[in-house]
Amino acid sequence: MTQRRSEANPSYTPTHSRSGAHLGTRLAAALGGAAAVGIASTAAHLIARSRKSTPTANAHKAARNATITGESEKLFGVDDAMVQRLFAMMRIPTISGSDSPQKPFTDFEAYLHSAYPLVAAHLTRERPRARRSLLYTWEGSNPQLRPLVLMAHYDVVDPGDPHDWGDGSHTAFEPYLDDDGVIHGRGCLDDKGCLLIIFEAVERLLSEGFTPERTVYIALGGNEETVGADGPNPIPALFAERGIEPWMVLDEGGAVIDAPLPGIDKRLAVVGVSEKGVLTLRMTARSAGGHASTPSKDSAIFVLAEALDAISTNTFPRRMPQPMRKMLTLLAPYAPAHLRTALSNIDVLSRPVAEALGRTDGELGASMHTTVAPTMLEGGTAPNALPTEASATLNVRIALGETIESTVTHLRRQVNNDRISFEVIEGDDPSPISPIDNPQYDALTTAIKGSWPDALPVPYVMLACSDARFWHKHWPNVYRFCPMYMSAAQRKTIHGFGENLNASELERGTTFHMNLLRKVARGSGKVGR
């Protein structure tokens, strides 16, 4: 797609590749001494675990009919009607993009109204400016309490050919439940599953007669995946104009995952407290052109190729952002002895550890530095003519501590060619860092423990971008967490082929939101104003 993709994938995704085999030796070289003993051997777990999490044929077993029977509750611990409601949402092809048809989005809004009658009766609904943004207001009894904002988006990434999906008998918009209790189909992870559990929680609380003291907003985006002609999510600007200061904003982003380091057998609930900046940059080479029968080394394509080769070696500085330091420190007690020393002294050893991790593939490494990925190429108008212009579109994720300006300056120096020009198409600097020593973060960790007692809540920096960044420009207490477990294999399917989610996670996620609302919306002094 030509527009920006906000890969809010929703989670911290430590992808393990063959470079994991070198993690131990890199840390050993960087740290030395007792902190490095045995790291090389335990790094092999990165490879082993990545192989175990690779999708297999089991992910596409014979599908069940979309109409779920009572057996699903018995087998998978989730209410059938809830699964059916998610399926109904997923069948509506709300493909993101300014040129995509409006009807699916209108149909989705109508479905929410019919599927959640108590929400429709008790919450007010408005469409702020953009035709695809929806804002629900659950009025609290105490106007002195600052409101809670729960976010989600209902647009999805274009699946390409919707028929080339899963087991071959279903399209991307024909969701199904397989024999292992796994839901398949576009949007189950990103982000209709996260949206569903918010509405499920509110509907259940209303059925119990729950009345919030703190006003609760549900803010839904309809163009999160591709920022097109409608512009960014307008709801944060609307809040600013109305003088509404949220007590906390919670969007998708983190999830419950397995620990990203070798030798640590611990599930984490990673809560995004910041996100890297995003930059769409066009790099263009120009030349005189000519006839293809007399090629020149000064052809725009050759010049562009040299520039791409120059940036293929990432020279951005590797630094460990503060949230990642905190994550690794919290992991230290669960690490094997040879890693525990390094993680327990991360403030002293952050530079060599960041350098070692930053040279590995995957998202743990990417969190340590700015990354550059060429995503589109363009050039030439005829097969027998040398192009006068060739360009590459770069997707850049800007590390904390850098800016759009400093990033472009760095790339200019790295390419070092006057025949190459750079054009900023769009972008945002990295988000601020939300605090973790406040009642808001405490409320999140308490709700997490209610659904995943054994998971360790930790902060992290989200590598993808989300609508949360628009709120973070105004207010500090913005967090990113989708309360569902996602395996490494499942996270890899976001925006790709075979997107899938464990059905049982819908119940856990609903419980999380109910616990959070009971604690926060009651407005007790323990969670502040």
Side-chain angles (χ1 to χ4, degrees):
M1 290 188 176
T2 55
Q3 301 101 333
R4 172 170 53 205
R5 290 191 177 183
S6 174
E7 301 164 20
N9 9 304
S11 67
Y12 174 78
T13 59
T15 305
H16 304 309
S17 71
R18 63 180 180 273
S19 64
H22 305 300
L23 173 60
T25 54
R26 283 175 176 151
L27 283 173
L31 304 177
V37 175
I39 289 180
S41 62
T42 57
H45 289 284
L46 286 171
I47 298 176
R49 193 165 69 206
S50 68
R51 288 173 178 167
K52 290 178 182 178
S53 63
T54 299
T56 67
N58 290 334
H60 303 300
K61 288 184 177 180
R64 296 186 176 190
N65 188 284
T67 302
I68 310 304
T69 67
E71 186 180 3
S72 66
E73 182 173 0
K74 178 181 178 182
L75 291 177
F76 310 127
V78 62
D79 179 61
D80 296 343
M82 188 193 308
V83 176
Q84 291 175 345
R85 285 189 286 271
L86 178 58
F87 281 5
M89 294 180 187
M90 293 168 63
R91 291 189 192 102
I92 304 174
T94 50
I95 297 174
S96 193
S98 58
D99 57 349
S100 61
Q102 176 62 23
K103 186 178 185 303
F105 293 85
T106 303
D107 290 346
F108 191 92
E109 180 182 350
Y111 177 74
L112 287 180
H113 193 76
S114 64
Y116 299 100
L118 295 179
V119 171
H122 292 271
L123 277 66
T124 61
R125 179 184 59 184
E126 59 183 306
R127 303 173 188 84
R129 299 177 185 167
R131 56 181 177 162
R132 294 175 180 174
S133 293
L134 298 172
L135 180 63
Y136 292 80
T137 304
W138 193 5
E139 200 69 45
S141 61
N142 186 351
Q144 299 303 313
L145 296 175
R146 291 184 289 144
L148 168 68
V149 179
L150 301 177
M151 295 177 60
H153 67 88
Y154 62 106
D155 59 319
V156 299
V157 169
D158 190 338
D161 183 356
H163 298 282
D164 183 19
W165 192 269
D167 63 352
S169 61
H170 296 79
T171 72
F173 297 110
E174 291 178 341
Y176 66 94
L177 184 71
D178 72 17
D179 290 337
D180 294 325
V182 178
I183 294 169
H184 297 258
R186 172 58 86 220
C188 59
L189 285 177
D190 189 15
D191 184 42
K192 290 178 179 178
C194 296
L195 183 153
L196 173 121
I197 58 180
I198 294 173
F199 278 78
E200 294 287 330
V202 174
E203 187 81 1
R204 288 190 196 179
L205 289 173
L206 286 168
S207 71
E208 296 173 1
F210 180 88
T211 301
E213 294 180 48
R214 187 186 303 277
T215 294
V216 178
Y217 291 97
I218 304 175
L220 304 183
N223 68 341
E224 193 269 357
E225 296 292 2
T226 55
V227 179
D230 288 337
N233 189 315
I235 300 177
L238 182 67
F239 270 53
E241 288 180 10
R242 293 178 178 177
I244 302 172
E245 181 182 354
W247 183 77
M248 180 173 69
V249 176
L250 180 62
D251 195 8
E252 61 168 344
V256 179
I257 68 167
D258 298 308
L261 283 174
I264 300 178
D265 184 17
K266 183 70 177 175
R267 281 195 172 176
L268 308 181
V270 291
V271 179
V273 296
S274 180
E275 62 185 64
K276 295 178 78 172
V278 61
L279 170 63
T280 302
L281 191 66
R282 182 176 293 128
M283 187 169 66
T284 302
R286 294 178 174 86
S287 65
H291 199 283
S293 63
T294 55
S296 168
K297 291 183 179 180
D298 290 330
S299 166
I301 290 179
F302 283 140
V303 174
L304 179 64
E306 290 178 0
L308 289 171
D309 183 61
I311 65 172
S312 66
T313 302
N314 193 310
T315 61
F316 282 93
R318 298 173 178 86
R319 307 185 186 96
M320 185 172 294
Q322 185 270 336
M324 303 307 293
R325 292 190 188 191
K326 184 64 175 179
M327 171 197 273
L328 296 178
T329 300
L330 291 172
L331 272 176
Y334 306 95
H338 48 272
L339 285 178
R340 194 178 309 136
T341 301
L343 299 184
S344 300
N345 295 278
I346 201 68
D347 286 339
V348 176
L349 300 173
S350 64
R351 180 169 293 183
V353 172
E355 188 69 27
L357 292 176
R359 294 184 182 278
T360 65
D361 292 338
E363 293 198 9
L364 186 58
S367 66
M368 304 296 161
H369 59 87
T370 295
T371 60
V372 183
T375 54
M376 295 189 295
L377 295 172
E378 184 177 2
T381 57
N384 62 346
L386 300 178
T388 58
E389 184 174 299
S391 66
T393 299
L394 310 178
N395 184 274
V396 185
R397 301 305 168 112
I398 306 172
L400 273 63
E402 303 283 350
T403 64
I404 292 174
E405 183 179 0
S406 68
T407 299
V408 175
T409 298
H410 183 100
L411 288 173
R412 287 185 192 278
R413 290 174 179 169
Q414 190 170 354
V415 170
N416 192 28
N417 191 330
D418 293 338
R419 293 175 293 178
I420 294 291
S421 63
F422 291 86
E423 178 189 2
V424 174
I425 305 301
E426 58 186 350
D428 286 297
D429 287 332
S431 297
I433 299 175
S434 294
I436 61 172
D437 57 350
N438 60 1
Q440 288 87 342
Y441 190 81
D442 289 344
L444 287 176
T445 59
T446 299
I448 287 169
K449 288 296 185 182
S451 290
W452 298 274
D454 296 329
L456 175 68
V458 296
Y460 89 111
V461 176
M462 185 175 171
L463 304 187
C465 55
S466 69
D467 277 349
R469 68 189 186 279
F470 302 120
W471 296 82
H472 230 155
K473 293 178 180 179
H474 299 278
W475 302 286
N477 300 317
V478 179
Y479 301 90
R480 302 153 179 87
F481 180 70
C482 180
M484 295 189 288
Y485 170 76
M486 302 178 194
S487 70
Q490 288 171 325
R491 296 193 302 271
K492 290 177 184 177
T493 66
I494 295 167
H495 288 195
F497 172 83
E499 187 176 348
N500 68 89
L501 168 71
N502 296 346
S504 59
E505 291 306 304
L506 298 177
E507 189 62 44
R508 287 176 180 260
T510 300
T511 300
F512 166 89
H513 280 298
M514 292 180 71
N515 289 339
L516 181 67
L517 286 165
R518 286 192 182 105
K519 180 176 179 62
V520 170
R522 283 297 188 196
S524 69
K526 292 182 180 180
V527 295
R529 293 184 179 274

